[in-house]
Amino acid sequence: MRTHLLTLTVALAGAFAGSAFAADGMSKDAYKAAKDKIEAQAKSDKKACEPLKDNAQDICQAEAKSKEKIAKAELDAQNKPGPKADEHVRLMKAEGSYEVAKEKCEDQKGAAIESCKKDARASYDKAKAEAQLATKGKSEKTMGAGKS
């Protein structure tokens, strides 16, 4: 009976320690496996762009790179959650949208290209400011919650 109790105690302690570790982030092996999966998907996405021609290929490549950056930022946020990680995800999404939008502008002609790129930049700047503002707001709420 005493042996069973000791075994049960050790098993429960291990389970709680494992769940506490998981709350702090992912294991190194799980993180590496997820990162490798993201990189394999990115490689596949980029390869799918090869048959395309001209600007369609450039747009496809920009979309693949954007998807990879966002997925890696989300993985990092899962591994080490917090306001800065959330901000990084939002910034990567804004940056990815901007890069894709710039490539799509190349399909325009003449002055429309510059106008398109200016609009894309304005959207990017707005999204970037909103991401930083959201992080600042979360930081202030966190700091305010500790005050009594």
Side-chain angles (χ1 to χ4, degrees), residues 69-95 127-139 141-142:
K69 283 183 180 182
I70 292 166
K72 284 183 176 180
E74 288 173 340
L75 176 63
D76 289 342
Q78 264 186 330
N79 189 39
K80 294 184 181 174
K84 281 290 186 186
D86 294 341
E87 177 184 3
H88 185 65
V89 170
R90 287 189 292 272
L91 289 173
M92 289 299 99
K93 287 180 179 180
E95 188 177 299
K128 187 175 161 184
E130 288 173 355
Q132 292 167 341
L133 187 62
T135 301
K136 184 178 178 187
K138 283 185 181 180
S139 296
K141 283 182 184 177
T142 305

Side-chain angles (χ1 to χ4, degrees), residues 20-108:
F21 179 73
D24 290 339
M26 306 170 79
S27 72
K28 285 185 181 181
D29 291 339
Y31 179 82
K32 184 174 180 348
K35 189 173 178 182
D36 289 346
K37 185 177 178 183
I38 291 168
E39 289 171 353
Q41 182 64 51
K43 188 175 181 179
S44 173
D45 291 346
K46 289 173 186 173
K47 190 164 183 76
C49 298
E50 288 177 4
L52 300 174
K53 300 289 181 215
D54 303 322
N55 198 46
Q57 186 178 45
D58 295 341
I59 292 168
C60 182
Q61 290 285 342
E63 288 171 339
K65 287 178 188 176
S66 171
K67 184 177 167 185
E68 179 182 18
K69 283 183 180 182
I70 292 166
K72 284 183 176 180
E74 288 173 340
L75 176 63
D76 289 342
Q78 264 186 330
N79 189 39
K80 294 184 181 174
K84 281 290 186 186
D86 294 341
E87 177 184 3
H88 185 65
V89 170
R90 287 189 292 272
L91 289 173
M92 289 299 99
K93 287 180 179 180
E95 188 177 299
S97 294
Y98 176 56
E99 292 301 321
V100 172
K102 282 193 316 183
E103 285 300 331
K104 288 181 178 181
C105 289
E106 295 296 323
D107 286 335
Q108 305 287 327

Side-chain angles (χ1 to χ4, degrees), residues 7-25:
T7 305
L8 181 62
T9 305
V10 171
L12 287 173
F16 285 121
S19 64
F21 179 73
D24 290 339

